[in-house]
């Protein structure tokens, strides 16, 4: 309960996280996503232009050679990025969409000038000609050209890689073989399908026809790194890309082609650099290698398995935040049927990062988010079915989640899943939503009959199995009858659900993102808290707080995204403690080199003790276990633990050096009290006693019964006096500690009767003697006597000093605020509340003290009053114990860090307190007024109730 | 629908590749496949079992095992009446994970969920490979947490049916003559859907004892 309550308080914290991940795309980012350009591209300049593209082997080109120039001219916008020229037709963006890698440009020349046209003739490596006519102001066009010239120069080194890269492109091979009639060329390396066949019925004639169509397209419109995409391109994709062409078309449409070209050695390098290395992702990958499209022949053989292993492990090294997620194995296995390892690697990279962002992350936030988006779209587009799903409590995501996560590869026969991939790579993520909606729509009649998950799933399973069958088996029209369920699905998806746009999906994602992230954070927290080590002193709500403070400290770690390291190094550890330990909070001492040294020494001791795996980093569980030891209520246990921190060699004894270290640590730990920032319980008690004394003195014998007790209406506290007393006490405790440590330390010299006892055992004697000599010898190096204290002595020394006894028994534990939820801004409110609480609690305790005294005077006079008093004085009388009422939580903050703040606060309140009588006569109100204005000290109130304290 | 049929929602949880799907495949189809594709999200299967003159219809939710899929699990164990928490007897890590699952189910799932702890791949041990999770250790956990416990082999089929039968026997059966009482007597959310379907009036009635 408290756990959930705490979580609810954290909502503002979640808000900040959600906001920081709400993607507001810049123009550059949108542009890159739209044209699938690599992440380091950006728009350098853009201009309006008319262009015409004459493919090297096109009919128009042929005519041009023969003197007739004729080509389509498109009007649109031309963009320049560091490595690309991109053009998009303004009127019909599907008519001409050119992406040209600058390194393919062989020559640029100014077209013969006519009076007002400024134009460039661009010639590509294969002879393709592009005419660019600039529209607009002349100087802007010149600017663009100058920039283009610079980029052309910069891309010269890139152009050197061009020929070898082109050798890997099947499109280039088609041209070389069929147009240029080259004979000494090899088929470029391709996917496993080249050897192990492609899934589905080999309709060779269709395959050949489709290849031919692509060949014709390339001749007219260019290919791979310099291509114009138009209506025909989209049509060719929609009818299904021929298997041989598929790898390259997927690369081209996804932008993986550009990544591979720009990072030509990276894949091999990653594999080589990480050869033989182990990781969790690798273990997980190994488990699944034999389980990735196992029905496909190549994946029953080492050849297929090893390619899959390489691609998946390479990706896990490239993006360790994702590592490996089940379903990636299936997607990668699918890609490898059509692609080489390197192609598949880059395709997987761009897929994970741009097409299905967050799907495979450690928290799978993208998957969860898109399921929410999908449910919303179903409820909007298929309301009847959605109502049915809701009414029957059917888990839609059980069926839809695998569609999205493994891109239909595990849901429908591969040949159909690949057809969907063709469109997916061209159109992006909206495709998944369009197809999924269409699947539900096409089956909605049957699905409306399904009243439980099982039937729902069975209907869809059966549908996928029969995708190649006729959608209208009973139709008389042979044409109609010929339409397969798959064709029907595509039509429904891309005609009817064409209205589902990327913008729509993206808007829905933004709507749900915050909620999904919150749920993930709550889930992650629950899981982690559940898996925390057993604690003896920390409560569940404490664990919840520590969890929050921990992850606020490890700022690079994003819980909902599952990225970054969740462990803390020493520096973060120090900041972490500073958030809730009074002795570690940033203070003015932080510039004092001695203090810094003390602080670092002690924190290092803690850090090393908690770092049980010697990893140099602390996990959440390390911190929990460590803190648990530090907040024990058992004084002896705490002393033993504290002792062990300094007993470096774990021999049960602290040597001189270790005692000195401990003394330094104590100086550091007690700083806030030693400098009067906080008030400890001894001081508090003294103040209460003084007030009580004065009340008694003031009222004298008139205090006959509790009914007559008037609490003081005005109390002034001479803060300086108590502060100084406390400071003195702490300094004395520190010096006493050192003094006693060396006084009570056991001498390391062996007893004098050493030789007398072990007469018989000569051999052993010798050894002992030698040991003794060596100890003596070492001791001689130290001018002081070699002495050591054991844990019993240490305890005695601490217990001998009231200040340190209270410090270990209570002050230290209570200075570690594991029980306070961390706020975004903890400083102000907490200090304020602390002050009020302090005064109220103080007043109550003062009252209790007074009552106790009155009681002892008038025990016999009023039995009722006595009962009454006991009820309230309990907290005070329990004071000597280590247990403490929660109401006094912030007593330590009695005087806050800031002097001014302290005064302000004391200025303000007339503290009103309510005390309930136990004899059910109804509450009786009594006032304890504590005016603390300085004027009050000088000009005391005339009221007879005023009590004044002076030093 | 036969009124003697009781539907039981059962969920399988456990680390990746311990054989969850294989146990289901053995139970549902009496089949085994060496390289089963990992479950993506979850799979759903059903199987009927006769116990005495009652039929229990297991609605089995087989979940993905990889750690990061854990955030999806609550979706699947929601309203489950039974769970198989599966580990691999040759993988100690999978037993640790099983402990976590048991803890999570006890905290988050329906009260009264029947949990069976299942150590799978017992056949490998017979083939000479070293056992890494002691039977006693698992028995101890099962006893402490009140779980059923079986060591199974999805490959040979050993103990697989027994596991499901043992769960079936612990499920309060839906009694055709007193379906009403049954709804009130059991605290384990015995498939409400069916109760509501069969007794549409009951849901709204003020029958005594119905506090849910």
């Amino acid at each position: 309960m408290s756990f959930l309550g705490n979580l609810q308080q954290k909502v503002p914290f979640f808000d900040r996280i959600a906001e920081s991940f709400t993607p507001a795309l810049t123009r550059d980012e949108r542009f890159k996503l739209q044209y699938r350009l690599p992440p380091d591209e950006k728009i350098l300049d853009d201009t309006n232009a008319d262009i015409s593209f004459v493919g090297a082997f096109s009919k128009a080109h042929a005519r041009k050679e023969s003197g007739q120039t004729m080509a389509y001219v498109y009007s649109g916008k031309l963009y320049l990025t560091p490595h690309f020229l991109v053009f998009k037709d303004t009127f019909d963006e599907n008519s001409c969409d050119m992406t040209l890698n600058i390194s393919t440009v062989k020559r640029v020349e100014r077209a013969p000038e006519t009076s007002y046209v400024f134009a460039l003739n661009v010639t590509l490596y294969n002879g393709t000609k592009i005419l660019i006519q600039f529209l607009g102001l002349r100087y802007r066009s010149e600017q663009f050209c100058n920039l283009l010239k610079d980029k052309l120069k910069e891309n010269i080194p890139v152009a050197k890689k061009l020929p070898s890269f082109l050798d890997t492109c099947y499109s280039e091979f088609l041209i070389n073989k069929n147009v240029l009639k080259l004979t000494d060329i090899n088929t470029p390396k391709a996917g496993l399908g080249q050897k192990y066949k492609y899934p589905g019925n080999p309709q060779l004639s269709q395959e050949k026809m489709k290849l031919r169509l692509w060949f014709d397209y390339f001749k007219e419109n260019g290919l791979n790194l310099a291509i114009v995409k138009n209506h025909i391109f989209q049509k060719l994709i929609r009818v299904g890309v021929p298997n041989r062409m598929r790898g390259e078309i997927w690369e081209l449409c996804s932008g993986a082609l550009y990544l591979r070209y720009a990072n030509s050695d990276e894949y091999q390098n990653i594999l080589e650099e990480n050869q033989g290395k182990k990781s969790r992702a690798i273990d997980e990958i190994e488990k699944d290698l034999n389980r990735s499209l196992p029905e496909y022949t190549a994946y029953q053989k080492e050849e297929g398995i090893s390619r899959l292993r390489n691609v998946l492990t390479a990706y896990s090294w490239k993006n360790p935040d994702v590592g490996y997620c089940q379903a990636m194995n299936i997607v990668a296995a699918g890609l490898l049927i059509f692609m080489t390892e390197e192609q598949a690697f880059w395709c997987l990279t761009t897929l994970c990062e741009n097409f299905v962002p967050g799907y495979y992350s450690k928290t799978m936030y993208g998957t969860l988010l898109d399921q929410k988006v999908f449910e919303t779209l179903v409820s909007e587009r298929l309301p009847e079915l959605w109502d049915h799903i809701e009414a029957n409590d059917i888990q839609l995501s059980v069926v839809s989640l695998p569609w999205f996560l493994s891109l239909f590869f595990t849901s429908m026969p591969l040949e159909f899943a690949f057809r969907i991939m063709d469109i997916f790579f061209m159109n992006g993520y909206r495709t998944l939503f369009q197809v999924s909606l269409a699947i539900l729509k096409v089956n909605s009649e049957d699905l409306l009959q399904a009243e439980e998950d099982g039937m729902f799933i069975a209907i869809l399973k059966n549908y996928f199995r029969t995708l190649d069958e006729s959608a209208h088996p009973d139709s008389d029209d042979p044409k109609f009858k010929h339409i397969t369920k798959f064709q029907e699905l595509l039509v429904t998806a891309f005609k009817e659900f064409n209205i589902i746009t990327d913008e729509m999906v993206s808007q829905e994602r933004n709507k749900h993102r915050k909620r999904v992230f919150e749920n993930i954070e709550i889930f992650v927290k629950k899981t982690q808290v559940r898996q925390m080590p057993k604690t003896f002193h920390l409560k569940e709500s404490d664990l919840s707080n520590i969890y929050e403070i921990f992850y606020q400290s490890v700022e690079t770690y994003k819980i909902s995204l599952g990225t970054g390291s969740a462990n803390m190094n020493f520096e973060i550890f120090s900041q972490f403690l500073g958030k809730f330990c009074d002795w570690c909070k940033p203070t003015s001492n932080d510039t004092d080199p001695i203090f810094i040294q003390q602080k670092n020494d002690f924190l290092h001791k803690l850090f090393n003790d908690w770092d049980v795996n010697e990893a140099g980093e602390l996990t959440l569980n390390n911190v929990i276990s460590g803190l648990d030891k530090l907040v024990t209520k058992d004084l002896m246990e705490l002393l033993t633990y504290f002792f062990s921190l300094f007993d470096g060699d774990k021999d049960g004894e602290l040597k001189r050096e270790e005692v000195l270290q401990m003394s330094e640590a104590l100086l550091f730990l007690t700083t806030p009290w030693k400098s009067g920032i906080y008030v400890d319980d001894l001081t508090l008690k003294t103040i209460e006693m003084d007030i009580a004394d004065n009340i008694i003195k003031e009222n004298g014998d008139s205090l006959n019964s509790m009914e007559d007790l008037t609490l003081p209406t005005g109390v002034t506290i001479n803060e300086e006096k108590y502060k100084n007393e406390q400071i003195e006490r702490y300094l004395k405790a520190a010096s006493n500690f050192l003094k006693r440590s060396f006084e009570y330390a056991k001498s390391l010299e062996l007893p004098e009767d050493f030789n007398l006892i072990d007469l018989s055992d000569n051999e052993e004697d010798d050894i002992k003697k030698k040991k003794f000599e060596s100890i003596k010898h070492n001791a001689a190096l130290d001018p002081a006597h070699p002495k050591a204290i054991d844990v019993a002595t240490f305890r005695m020394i601490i217990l001998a000093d009231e200040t340190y006894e209270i410090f270990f028994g209570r002050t230290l534990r209570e200075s570690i605020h594991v029980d306070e939820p961390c706020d975004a801004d903890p400083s102000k409110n907490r200090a304020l509340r602390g002050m009020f609480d302090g005064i109220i609690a103080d007043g109550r305790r003062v009252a209790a003290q007074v009552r106790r005294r009155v009681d002892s005077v008038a025990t016999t006079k009023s039995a009722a009053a006595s009962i009454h008093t006991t009820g309230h004085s309990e907290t005070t009388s329990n004071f000597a114990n280590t247990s403490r009422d929660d109401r006094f939580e912030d007593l330590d903050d009695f005087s806050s860090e800031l002097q001014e703040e302290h005064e302000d606060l004391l200025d303000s309140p007339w503290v009103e307190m309510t005390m309930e009588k136990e004899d059910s006569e109804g509450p009786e109100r009594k006032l304890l007024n504590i005016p603390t204005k300085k004027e009050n000290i000088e000009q005391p109130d005339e009221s007879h109730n005023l009590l004044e304290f002076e030093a | 629908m036969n009124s003697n049929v009781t539907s039981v929602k059962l969920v399988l949880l456990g680390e990746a590749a311990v054989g969850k799907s294989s146990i289901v495949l053995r139970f549902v189809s009496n089949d085994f496949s060496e390289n089963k594709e990992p479950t993506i999200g979850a799979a759903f299967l059903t199987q009927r079992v006769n116990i005495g003159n009652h039929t229990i219809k297991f609605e089995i939710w087989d979940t993905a095992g990889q750690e990061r899929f854990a955030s999806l699990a609550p979706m699947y164990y929601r309203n489950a009446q039974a769970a198989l928490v599966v580990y691999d007897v040759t993988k100690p890590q999978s037993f640790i994970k099983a402990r976590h699952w048991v803890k999570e189910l006890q905290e988050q799932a329906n009260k009264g969920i029947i949990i069976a702890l299942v150590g799978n791949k017992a056949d490998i041990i017979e083939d000479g490979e070293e056992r890494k999770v002691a039977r006693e250790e698992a028995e101890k956990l099962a006893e402490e947490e009140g779980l059923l416990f079986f060591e199974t082999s999805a490959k040979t089929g050993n103990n697989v049916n027994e596991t499901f039968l043992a769960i079936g026997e612990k499920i309060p059966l839906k009694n055709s003559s007193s379906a009403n009482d049954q709804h009130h007597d059991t605290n384990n959310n015995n498939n409400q859907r069916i109760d509501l379907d069969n007794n549409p009036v009951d849901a709204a009635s003020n029958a005594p004892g119905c506090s849910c």
Side-chain angles (χ1 to χ4, degrees), chain B residues 24-41:
Chain B
V24 178
L25 185 65
R26 172 62 70 191
F27 176 57
V28 173
S29 320
N30 195 21
D31 197 2
F32 181 75
S33 136
E34 196 75 52
N35 295 318
K36 258 190 89 52
E37 273 184 23
T39 309
I40 303 303

Side-chain angles (χ1 to χ4, degrees), chain A residues 137-149:
Chain A
L137 296 170
R138 180 63 176 249
Y139 86 95
R140 285 282 296 115
S141 310
E142 292 282 2
Q143 233 173 20
F144 189 97
C145 287
N146 284 336
L147 213 50
L148 175 63
K149 208 158 96 188

Side-chain angles (χ1 to χ4, degrees), chain A residues 588-620:
Chain A
S588 52
N589 289 327
D590 284 344
T591 48
D592 176 2
I594 299 172
F595 178 78
I596 293 169
Q597 184 67 39
Q598 285 174 342
K599 181 174 176 176
N600 281 341
D601 284 350
F602 178 69
L603 294 189
H604 268 296
K605 289 228 180 301
L606 275 187
F607 186 86
N608 294 337
D609 181 70
W610 294 5
D611 181 14
V612 284
N613 304 325
E614 294 177 18
E617 282 185 329
L618 297 183
T619 64
L620 176 61

